[in-house]
Amino acid sequence: MEEVQKKRMLSGIKPSGDLTLGSYLGAVKNWAERAEQYDCFYFMADLHAITVRQNPQDLRRRTLEQLAQYIACGLDPEKNTLFVQSHVHQHAELGWVLDCYSMFGELSRMTQFKDKSAKNADNINAGLFTYPALMAADILLYQPDLVPVGEDQKQHVELTHVIARRFNGIYGDVFKIPEPFVPKVGARIMSLTNPTAKMSKSESEDAGSVLLMSPPEVIMKQFKRAITDSDTENCVRYDKENKPGVANLMTIYSAVTGQSYDQIEEEFAGQGYGKFKPVVGEAVVEHLRPIREETQRLLKDKAYLESVYQAGAQKASYVAEKTLRKVYKKVGFLAK
Ligand code: TRP
């Protein structure tokens, strides 16, 4: 009997920061189960990472570490296609073609470009400007049905639609227009030092971001120093408005133990923040321990990781080449 074709899903992750507890509990944790329903492609977006100056050794290390971490978080390389963007040359090639179908005005209006230009005033390079056209290429090469992205990348996916429709309008149906897909969000985790801001990887240097790979003693110290609120109540009670620090710790504790807020309030009744904080820290350490240990084990097995990303690139390249060949023909390039 023939198997029903699964819908295809694709997403890229920039290896420009270390994975945090926030992105794990909020997103990555739920990715493993997607493979049951979808044919999933994930890649490390190293071409995109260099739009901001990177230290070469760090970029290389992070790309490999990120792959190892995703596998340790449950992304099975047998069930998902995992690869490195720069290993599949079709991305850069279609990226160039799509540069020629992306308008200056459109690219100028991208909020990420405006934000990043402001932050990197000394390096507003052309790659930063055409970033969304390369992202459109990443997506359109694979003719995916769905592209899960965070809120900050929605504008880029919308521009991908505009570029794809423009191209299809001229040459016929070359690209599939992917559906927007807002993934089920897990817990929304805030910084431990600034509980009204998201725990982000760009904040990695900050004491408020818990890194997946941090040693237990570092994580314990971060939780002991977590900002709780300067109310006089000193009581573990969920009140996001008035006690964002405590609420954040409760969200984290709930996500790693599976307990409800009511159960947590009961568990810590009559105990102050001083008791609560280290217990949350320990629960996090224990939750992350298997992931950290598995990542470390994988990082020692370079041959295995290499086999994963090589097989991934081969599979990705096979799919990508079909689209690229069609595009080259449509725009009028002479066949090789
Ligand atoms: N720009 C995305 C980000 O910063 C990463 C990315 C690159 C991506 N190419 C992609 C995401 C294609 C989805 C699809 O998060």
Side-chain angles (χ1 to χ4, degrees):
M1 204 175 74
E2 208 177 314
E3 228 188 285
V4 184
Q5 187 83 41
K6 284 181 184 168
K7 284 194 170 186
R8 186 176 290 157
M9 188 157 110
L10 167 122
S11 198
I13 315 106
K14 251 185 314 186
S16 52
D18 298 302
L19 210 59
T20 66
L21 180 67
S23 44
Y24 174 67
L25 293 178
V28 184
K29 197 170 177 247
N30 302 318
W31 291 0
E33 64 196 41
R34 285 177 179 171
E36 307 305 326
Q37 215 181 332
Y38 303 106
D39 178 21
C40 299
F41 285 66
Y42 296 96
F43 62 92
M44 313 304 138
D46 54 351
L47 297 176
H48 278 106
I50 65 163
T51 54
V52 171
R53 199 72 73 227
Q54 300 287 332
N55 171 311
Q57 277 95 358
D58 285 347
L59 180 59
R60 217 180 328 268
R61 173 183 59 78
R62 284 213 198 93
T63 304
L64 201 65
E65 260 179 29
Q66 210 168 65
L67 175 69
Q69 285 183 43
Y70 288 127
I71 298 172
C73 288
L75 278 192
D76 181 348
E78 301 289 325
K79 296 185 185 159
N80 298 272
T81 306
L82 308 176
F83 66 101
V84 178
Q85 188 185 24
S86 65
H87 292 179
V88 181
H89 59 84
Q90 288 86 353
H91 288 246
E93 290 181 55
L94 183 63
W96 171 255
V97 173
L98 296 185
D99 277 351
C100 303
Y101 296 82
S102 307
M103 298 302 139
F104 182 86
E106 289 165 349
L107 295 170
S108 311
R109 281 193 291 277
M110 294 292 113
T111 50
Q112 183 177 293
F113 172 66
K114 289 191 247 177
D115 288 351
K116 289 205 173 172
S117 310
K119 280 193 200 135
N120 302 283
D122 55 347
N123 185 22
I124 307 177
N125 59 73
L128 199 60
F129 187 65
T130 60
Y131 182 116
L134 177 61
M135 184 160 156
D138 296 340
I139 296 170
L140 299 174
L141 274 175
Y142 298 92
Q143 314 276 2
D145 299 283
L146 302 154
V147 181
V149 286
E151 204 54 46
D152 66 323
Q153 296 297 315
K154 257 168 79 182
Q155 200 185 27
H156 290 161
V157 177
E158 283 158 15
L159 182 60
T160 299
H161 291 178
V162 172
I163 297 169
R165 288 211 180 85
R166 176 174 296 135
F167 197 93
N168 286 354
I170 305 169
Y171 303 105
D173 274 343
V174 177
F175 298 127
K176 182 176 221 162
I177 313 290
E179 295 162 35
F181 174 61
V182 182
K184 182 178 87 186
V185 244
R188 196 172 144 77
I189 307 297
M190 316 303 272
S191 159
L192 295 188
T193 48
N194 178 13
T196 52
K198 213 174 112 189
M199 183 183 284
S200 68
K201 62 180 175 183
S202 52
E203 215 200 358
S204 300
E205 304 295 315
D206 188 88
S209 273
V210 177
L211 304 184
L212 243 51
M213 295 307 288
S214 279
E217 55 281 12
V218 173
I219 296 181
M220 283 308 293
K221 204 184 274 172
Q222 286 181 297
F223 275 94
K224 284 183 189 154
R225 288 189 186 154
I227 301 286
T228 33
D229 308 289
S230 53
D231 53 21
T232 45
E233 196 181 42
N234 194 23
C235 151
V236 178
R237 187 169 62 78
Y238 192 85
D239 178 352
K240 200 164 178 206
E241 190 85 358
N242 299 305
K243 296 152 69 80
V246 176
N248 187 37
L249 291 176
M250 289 178 76
T251 303
I252 294 171
Y253 195 60
S254 167
V256 298
T257 64
Q259 292 192 65
S260 68
Y261 294 144
D262 284 344
Q263 287 170 323
I264 299 170
E265 286 175 6
E266 208 169 297
E267 184 184 342
F268 292 93
Q271 302 179 51
Y273 303 150
K275 282 262 170 55
F276 182 49
K277 292 199 280 188
V279 177
V280 180
E282 268 158 38
V284 168
V285 165
E286 288 318 313
H287 193 79
L288 296 184
R289 190 185 298 282
I291 298 173
R292 184 169 54 95
E293 289 177 355
E294 177 64 359
T295 304
Q296 282 164 342
R297 191 189 68 75
L298 289 167
L299 284 170
K300 284 196 199 114
D301 194 350
K302 294 273 188 301
Y304 171 71
L305 291 176
E306 205 177 283
S307 73
V308 168
Y309 65 65
Q310 284 177 352
Q314 202 174 13
K315 195 169 158 215
S317 183
Y318 177 80
V319 178
E321 182 60 23
K322 279 195 194 166
T323 306
L324 186 69
R325 227 178 302 149
K326 215 186 221 179
V327 168
Y328 274 12
K329 190 171 171 195
K330 291 285 187 185
V331 300
F333 293 165
L334 185 65
K336 276 197 267 194

